[in-house]
Amino acid sequence: MHDAVREQATTIIARIPEGRVTTYGTIAKMTEGATARSIGALLRLLPKGHTLPWHRVVAAGGRLAHHEGALEQRELLSAEGVIFDARGRIPERFFWP
């Protein structure tokens, strides 16, 4: 991912409001050349102690992606008031933009 696209993606992620989520694919479409996978890679490679709200980025269909931080992600989202349905999905009303 080029630096300009990385900057676009991190700016978009930083703007996701508390209590709302968006998908890797949505962020990718808002940039000039990123893919959903490259957004996932960007988030995986964030340095320890960063302040980017990574937990607000979810997989398509409102599911949490399978990664080692999924439990923490669910806890952070729940603390912001995001709810999960019986299938573990986030209802559309929590999606941004």
Side-chain angles (χ1 to χ4, degrees):
M1 182 183 297
H2 296 288
D3 288 342
V5 176
R6 184 179 295 113
E7 186 174 333
Q8 289 173 352
T10 56
T11 298
I12 293 163
I13 295 165
R15 292 181 178 163
I16 304 169
E18 185 174 323
R20 304 291 295 277
V21 298
T22 196
T23 66
Y24 299 98
T26 298
I27 294 168
K29 289 176 187 170
M30 296 169 77
T31 68
E32 297 172 8
T35 64
R37 286 181 187 240
S38 67
I39 299 301
L42 169 72
L43 293 175
R44 269 193 314 278
L45 298 173
L46 287 171
K48 196 166 188 87
H50 70 85
T51 59
L52 206 61
W54 63 272
H55 61 284
R56 297 180 187 147
V57 183
V58 300
R63 289 173 283 170
L64 300 185
H66 298 288
H67 55 78
E68 63 184 51
L71 180 59
E72 179 185 8
Q73 182 178 20
R74 187 179 180 111
E75 290 170 353
L76 290 168
L77 289 172
S78 293
E80 292 182 359
V82 175
I83 61 168
F84 295 81
D85 67 17
R87 295 172 61 193
R89 295 181 182 196
I90 299 168
E92 280 189 44
R93 70 179 181 271
F94 291 99
F95 278 77
W96 173 90

